[in-house]
Each structure stands twice: as C-alpha cells, then as structure tokens.
Amino acid sequence: MSLARNLDLLRHLPKVDGLRLTEFGRSADASSPLEEVTAFGDNPGALRMFAFVPEQFQKSRALVVVLHGCGQTAAAYDLGAGWSTLAQHYGFALAMPEQQRINNGNTCFNWFNPEDTARDSGEARSIREMITHMAETHRIDPRRIYITGLSAGGGMTSVMLATYPEVFAAGAIIAGLPYGIASNLREALDGMFHSPQRPERELGDFVRRASNHRGPWPKISVWHGSADRTVNPGNANEIVKQWLDLHDLPLVPMAETNVNGYPRQAWWNKDGETLVESYAITDMAHGTPLGLADNDQRYGVEGAFLIEAGISSSYHIAKFFGLTGWIADAKQAEAKPARSPAPHLARSIRAAVAEPAEPKPEERRGLDLGQIITRALTAAGLMK
C-alpha cells in the first residue's frame, strides 16, 4: 500500500470508526474505579489525569502508568485491559493519562510530535508531572515505577522510557513503535505501515540523545500480534533492537519458550535477570491480548482493540514488573506439593545446558551449570 493511500485511509478513519470507538469509551466509564485528578502540576500537553489507589498497598509501594490507544479513554482501556482489577488484587497504584480531542482528533497520544516527545516538553512533561504527583501524594517507592501502553500509547511509552529513563524500573509496549523514528506525520505513517529496519546502534542512539542518562536502563517487555495491519509487527523487532543495544545484549535470543501457546524470547544479564522479553501473539490483529492468567483469573473485557487471545498480557506484564508474587498466588504455591518443571521449561533448560549463549569476553570465566539453569528458569518466568 502506498503512502498516499495510507494518508487517505487516515483521513477517513474518524468517519469509519470514530462513533464505534467513542461509544466504547463512554460505556466503560461508569464501570471503572478511576478517579480524575485535576491539580497534578504543570500540564503543557493538556492531558487529563485519572488514578486508582488500592485500599491496601504492597509494603513497598508501586505505581504503574497505563496509556490507552487511539479512540479510547483511560476508563475504557482500564476496563478492557483489567488494570484496576490487577491493582486492587495485588496492591499497587495506577496513573492513567487521557488524551483530549483538542490535541488529537482520534485521541491518540502524539508520540511523533517533537514538542510532545522531548524531555520536559508537551505531553511527555504532563505525564512526568502526573508521576511526581502520585509519588509524593501516595509515598510511592521511586524504584518501583513502571509504564505500559497500547498502540499510540505504546509509542508514548517508548517516549517516556527514552526521555525519563531514570524514572522507570521497567516498561511494556503493546503494538507500539520505537522511540525516535518519526518527527512528523509522514514519518509516523511510514513507521506504522512499513517499519523500516535500522541498525541497532542507530536505534539506541535515538534514546541516548533523549536525555543525559547513561544507565542503568529500564527493563522492557514487548508484545505484538503477528497479523497486525495497523502497526506493522516489524516494529516489535525494532523496539527489541533498540533496547538490546542500550543494555549491550546480543541480537540472538538467550532463550525461546512458549507461554500459553505463544513464542516468547528473552535476554538477561550476567546475574540472570531478564532485561528484555518479546511476545509474538500469532495470528492476532491490532490490540491488547486478553485471556486467563496463571491464577485462573480473568483481567479485562473484550472490546475495540482488546482481543481474546488466550493469554493475559496485563497479568504477564505485571508479573514481569514484579508485582504479582506476594499474596494469593504465593500462598497457593506454598500449599501445593512441589512439581517438576513443565515440559517446555524442561526443554528450555536442556537447550540452555546443551547450547549456552555465547558469553561476552569478560563473562567467559564465570559460566557454570548452575548459572545456566538459573537463567533458563528466569527466562521461563519462574525466577526473577
């Protein structure tokens, strides 16, 4: 499809989809426990702020920033992806910025506008002010601040991780785009529809130029449907390359496993901590994947760009952030007899032992069997 046809398609999107998406957002508002916060600080991006604070916090208080996709509201995405249900169950706070039509006719975050994607400017600055407000008001642990988003919200998640990397411990991007690939609508459309490949060093430099920060960098989880026709799935690979370069990790995955039937790739550091992971949701279109979690609970409701896929991305993202292991699930695990690893995990351990990842020169002396098994367990999500 030509760029001209892509532009023509976008011109007609409000007429085709605007009513359906807007109605979905309105119907969800009454069902969400989010409350609007009006006096959160400077707001150069003219965004609205919604928040949820659970009655009981984890001992070390955590905050997750959640960014909706185009055509959605904060409440609609909260209901659809199940974040406030997760926050209530596991005891962490939410901040959910919301775009306004005066800024973008399709209520997309402006992830490609230079004035909104620079540190201390526009929408990026507004979201940073919301985080500061939540941290100060609710005594959030500064080491436990995370961010995730869908589509344009995923693009803005990339923006926040690049412009304020010192703020976030980790981030998760769903059907989004890497930071720095666009500074106008034409480049944004080219990235969305075609996802031109770039050298990993170039992608990493986009982030390094966004602030004076030089590490450590946030951990990153990337999710994308292989049948996405709105944001080219190649963007997932470009995001992964961007963050592998920042973390100084090889392009070849250190582990490849299946989670709920979908391929997951993982990369870790010398201590066995997973720094980058990527899920490819086979045959899924553009949206956030929904399904039962490991604890047999469902988080979220199907709707526009919220797709039943048999895997709960919100739950797995919260797990990747380290937010799920301290209450009900842990008690259930203690009550059950120990079980041998699942077959796919056993295979991944055998593969890791048989074919360990090529170590960096400074790591060659430190490899041993115990460390390899630890890394395989980490990659399978059974060890942090």
Side-chain angles (χ1 to χ4, degrees):
M1 183 179 289
S2 69
L3 188 60
R5 290 186 63 188
N6 290 339
L7 282 165
D8 185 63
L9 172 65
L10 282 196
R11 291 191 190 100
H12 288 83
L13 277 178
K15 297 178 182 178
V16 175
D17 289 330
L19 179 61
R20 175 170 59 85
L21 297 181
T22 303
E23 287 178 347
F24 176 76
R26 281 202 298 266
S27 66
D29 289 352
S31 302
S32 172
L34 297 178
E35 295 184 359
E36 184 164 10
V37 179
T38 56
F40 57 83
D42 292 340
N43 189 14
L47 302 178
R48 298 175 72 186
M49 175 184 177
F50 292 84
F52 173 74
V53 179
E55 295 179 2
Q56 182 179 2
F57 266 109
Q58 294 186 24
K59 185 175 181 180
S60 180
R61 297 186 172 197
L63 170 68
V64 178
V65 181
V66 181
L67 301 172
H68 63 78
C70 296
Q72 297 173 325
T73 64
Y77 191 63
D78 174 44
L79 176 68
W83 275 103
S84 62
T85 305
L86 276 161
Q88 180 67 46
H89 186 66
Y90 291 106
F92 57 86
L94 294 177
M96 298 192 69
E98 183 177 288
Q99 184 60 282
Q100 300 195 76
R101 290 194 181 278
I102 59 171
N103 300 325
N104 184 291
N106 286 314
T107 64
C108 307
F109 289 103
N110 290 304
W111 59 271
F112 56 87
N113 283 345
E115 62 269 27
D116 291 307
T117 61
R119 186 179 175 102
D120 295 332
S121 177
E123 292 176 15
R125 172 63 182 272
S126 293
I127 296 170
R128 179 67 180 95
E129 290 285 308
M130 296 178 196
I131 295 169
T132 299
H133 174 83
M134 291 293 292
E136 293 176 351
T137 304
H138 302 289
R139 294 182 287 117
I140 301 297
D141 185 341
R143 299 166 300 178
R144 304 193 73 202
I145 298 175
Y146 312 92
I147 188 167
T148 182
L150 164 68
S151 191
M156 187 55 73
T157 296
S158 287
V159 169
M160 296 305 297
L161 290 168
T163 55
Y164 299 100
E166 78 283 3
V167 171
F168 302 102
I173 300 168
I174 306 172
L177 303 100
Y179 176 77
I181 65 166
S183 59
N184 54 54
L185 179 59
R186 182 189 62 79
E187 293 173 349
L189 290 173
D190 191 38
M192 285 175 58
F193 289 105
H194 306 121
S195 185
Q197 294 188 28
R198 293 173 170 83
E200 56 270 24
R201 183 69 182 184
E202 178 183 345
L203 290 164
D205 283 344
F206 287 154
V207 176
R208 279 182 281 265
R209 288 195 293 266
S211 76
N212 294 325
H213 186 75
R214 290 297 175 263
W217 299 97
K219 302 191 304 179
I220 193 81
S221 179
V222 181
W223 295 70
H224 216 117
S226 69
D228 192 331
R229 298 295 177 264
T230 302
V231 177
N232 190 304
N235 282 288
N237 296 329
E238 296 298 288
I239 296 168
V240 167
K241 284 163 54 180
Q242 186 166 66
W243 288 91
L244 290 178
D245 183 73
L246 292 165
H247 285 291
D248 195 23
L249 292 169
L251 290 177
V252 177
M254 294 176 173
E256 298 186 71
T257 57
N258 283 324
V259 180
N260 297 135
Y262 296 106
R264 172 184 180 265
Q265 297 178 331
W267 293 258
W268 50 74
N269 62 15
K270 61 184 179 181
D271 297 321
E273 180 184 15
T274 300
L275 299 180
V276 179
E277 67 172 10
S278 179
Y279 285 82
I281 310 304
T282 313
D283 298 326
M284 193 187 82
H286 185 67
T288 294
L290 310 178
L292 287 177
D294 292 351
N295 57 7
D296 294 327
Q297 293 195 33
R298 177 170 290 278
Y299 300 99
V301 179
E302 285 185 80
F305 309 122
L306 296 150
I307 302 171
E308 173 56 47
I311 183 170
S312 175
S313 56
S314 299
Y315 171 80
H316 282 284
I317 289 168
K319 188 175 181 180
F320 179 74
F321 291 167
L323 299 172
T324 64
W326 73 292
I327 48 170
D329 291 344
K331 292 178 181 177
Q332 291 173 6
E334 290 173 1
K336 294 178 182 179
R339 297 185 298 176
S340 59
H344 74 270
L345 173 59
R347 287 195 296 272
S348 70
I349 293 175
R350 287 198 297 272
V353 173
E355 299 179 7
E358 181 67 18
K360 298 176 186 178
E362 66 270 21
E363 296 174 351
R364 294 181 187 273
R365 297 190 301 274
L367 284 177
D368 58 35
L369 182 60
Q371 185 181 60
I372 292 171
I373 292 175
T374 297
R375 288 178 173 179
L377 289 167
T378 303
L382 298 184
M383 181 179 293
K384 293 293 182 183

